[in-house]
Amino acid sequence: MADLSSLAFVEQALAERAQSQRLRSLHAVHPQDAVYVLKGDRRLLNVSSNDYLGLSKHPALIEAAQHCSRDYGTGATASRLVVGTYDIHQQLEHDLAQACGREAALLFSSGFQANMTLLPLLLDRQSLALCDRLVHNSLLQGVLASGARLSRFAHNDLAHLETLLRQAASKGYRRVVIVSETVFSMDGDRSDVEALIHLAQRYGAMLYLDDAHALGVMGPGGMGLAACRPEVDLVVGTFGKAFGAFGAFVTCSRALRDYIVNCCPGFIYTTALPPPVIGAIAAALRLMPDLEGDRQHLAHQADRLRGELHRLGYDLRASTSQIVPLVVGAEEGALRLSDWLEEQGILAMAIRPPTVPPGTARLRLVLSSQHTADHLAALVQCIQTWHEQ
Ligand SMILES: *Cc1c(COP(=O)(O)O)cnc(C)c1O
């Protein structure tokens, strides 16, 4: 009889990963402040985190998290529809909708969970999803879970998208949803939100945008590049990045929000976000309008970093954000550069396939508004030394 419980497939998968140098493992660091971490006993300048404004260490967020813990406890104790909705959840949703000038906002446990579970709410087997080639894995998982037909358009190629939309028009799909990001997580470039809105309207498609890397950093009051646009049917923003906390939210119409509350398993069957997290998010939201100087400093530093790396001849994709991909190409080379920088005191993680397309292994250099001109100079100096040796 066949052994139906054999874990040989696990051993085999791990062995294959190891063979192709793609076996990954977890390494602990201890955060010291917004820009330094301890790894073992070594202090490293962190240029890999998504804490774009350093808010995860901001006293106002820590204070608000403590305050909410004291007043409401550490956990929300139930799902939203049972007894997990507190006044702080409702107030935060109200304030988010207001900050974005949208009818409604709704909290989610995480960006991954939102994307994974919202897309099957919009798409079914008779629908078509048109996804940018570089969209985040959580968006692809959502489309796959929906059973919809998936077509991918070349990265930021609006002519290609329009061709696919035109072809779809005669196919009798129930719904067509365009899926993209505003700032792309691995390339640090942007989509043309205006043009996407225009195409969606012209071809009667829905538009779903992931604003994870723009929220806090770009747009009116730092509220992202899409969250404030009522023409976009559904926008997902995440609080684990520039907001320095955890969780996610969607902005949409009131009707769509009601539909999600009633029909979305990823909203219904999960415990509400815990009070300290709500406190931290709310504190970050209160700070947002006053962080314009931080956002400008961040944009300016990223421009300078790109200028220096371009001068050395590096391929930085079309980055125009705080995410600056230093594309090395070969996985081996990216790992070696990352290791070497770590020896010099800089933590810059290599990102390899399948997270990025084959042949485009890179260091994903990520700046924070808390990085000073000296930090930046040290980073550039190290890369230059590597480049010249
Ligand atoms: C980080 C990220 C997510 C996932 O958000 P989490 O809240 O961390 O689960 C989704 N989409 C994009 C584009 C992201 O970069």
Side-chain angles (χ1 to χ4, degrees):
M1 199 168 79
D3 179 0
L4 301 180
S5 68
S6 166
L7 285 178
F9 73 96
V10 174
E11 302 289 345
Q12 192 185 339
L14 291 174
E16 280 167 13
R17 287 282 168 124
Q19 181 115 47
S20 58
Q21 316 273 314
R22 284 189 184 169
L23 189 63
R24 294 155 80 165
S25 58
L26 302 170
H27 299 280
V29 296
H30 186 93
Q32 276 203 309
D33 56 28
V35 288
Y36 282 98
V37 296
L38 286 178
K39 190 170 176 187
D41 54 6
R42 301 200 54 229
R43 184 167 178 265
L44 302 173
L45 177 67
N46 186 359
V47 288
S48 292
S49 99
N50 298 316
D51 194 9
Y52 302 132
L53 299 167
L55 292 185
S56 76
K57 308 294 181 295
H58 195 289
L61 274 73
I62 294 171
E63 162 84 37
Q66 288 170 338
H67 188 83
C68 281
S69 276
R70 274 197 303 273
D71 284 0
Y72 296 84
T74 52
T77 78
S79 63
R80 291 290 302 276
L81 283 167
V82 182
V83 287
T85 298
Y86 297 161
D87 57 351
I88 46 176
H89 293 92
Q90 289 192 307
Q91 185 67 46
L92 178 56
E93 284 169 341
H94 172 269
D95 293 347
L96 285 165
Q98 190 132 49
C100 296
R102 295 283 317 245
E103 268 182 31
L106 187 66
L107 294 167
F108 265 80
S109 299
S110 76
F112 194 98
Q113 194 164 323
N115 287 335
M116 173 79 211
T117 185
L118 283 167
L119 284 162
L121 216 59
L122 305 177
L123 293 159
D124 61 12
R125 292 182 173 281
Q126 279 77 50
S127 302
L128 171 69
L130 295 173
C131 295
D132 187 285
R133 170 69 62 191
L134 293 188
V135 295
H136 192 263
N137 184 273
S138 56
L139 293 161
L140 287 181
Q141 297 295 339
V143 172
L144 292 176
S146 75
R149 192 187 150 86
L150 166 63
S151 281
R152 300 175 80 173
F153 56 95
H155 178 50
N156 271 341
D157 185 339
L158 295 168
H160 188 202
L161 171 60
E162 184 159 16
T163 303
L164 296 177
L165 283 164
R166 206 178 295 122
Q167 287 167 358
S170 60
K171 297 267 172 66
Y173 288 110
R174 185 172 289 165
R175 275 186 290 280
V176 177
V177 180
I178 300 170
V179 181
S180 191
E181 296 176 21
T182 54
V183 171
F184 284 84
S185 56
M186 294 300 145
D187 278 32
D189 59 349
R190 308 176 196 204
S191 61
D192 184 342
V193 173
E194 214 59 54
L196 288 170
I197 289 171
H198 178 74
L199 280 178
Q201 289 179 341
R202 175 149 185 220
Y203 289 89
M206 271 193 274
L207 183 56
Y208 183 116
L209 292 177
D210 185 330
D211 223 3
H213 298 279
L215 185 71
V217 175
M218 297 170 189
M223 291 312 291
L225 295 176
C228 304
R229 300 297 307 262
E231 304 93 330
V232 185
D233 298 279
L234 209 149
V235 180
V236 171
T238 64
F239 299 124
K241 288 159 183 154
F243 267 60
F246 184 74
F249 75 115
V250 303
T251 51
C252 55
S253 68
R254 204 169 283 124
L256 194 46
R257 181 190 193 268
D258 291 345
Y259 180 61
I260 297 167
V261 169
N262 281 277
C263 303
C264 182
F267 176 81
I268 299 170
Y269 300 105
T270 194
T271 303
L273 280 175
V277 168
I278 298 295
I281 298 168
L285 184 62
R286 284 191 292 274
L287 287 174
M288 274 307 143
D290 301 325
L291 297 176
E292 207 49 56
D294 293 60
R295 287 187 278 271
Q296 278 171 14
H297 172 69
L298 180 58
H300 175 67
Q301 294 263 85
D303 277 345
R304 283 189 45 206
L305 178 60
R306 274 188 295 272
E308 297 287 351
L309 296 179
H310 273 140
R311 194 172 53 77
L312 295 176
Y314 282 110
D315 167 9
L316 310 175
R317 303 280 114 164
S319 164
T320 59
S321 69
Q322 70 283 1
I323 302 164
V324 181
L326 193 165
V327 176
V328 175
E331 297 182 38
E332 181 64 27
L335 287 175
R336 270 194 291 126
L337 176 51
S338 175
D339 287 347
W340 188 81
L341 285 173
E342 191 171 326
E343 282 165 26
Q344 313 306 309
I346 294 174
L347 190 62
M349 302 302 287
I351 309 279
R352 298 181 285 155
T355 306
V356 292
T360 70
R362 65 195 66 186
L363 299 199
R364 178 176 178 269
L365 303 175
V366 187
L367 296 183
S368 151
S369 62
Q370 301 302 304
H371 286 124
T372 63
D374 286 348
H375 291 132
L376 191 67
L379 172 64
V380 168
Q381 183 59 54
C382 279
I383 294 172
Q384 176 154 2
T385 304
W386 165 268
H387 184 72
E388 288 166 357
Q389 76 185 4

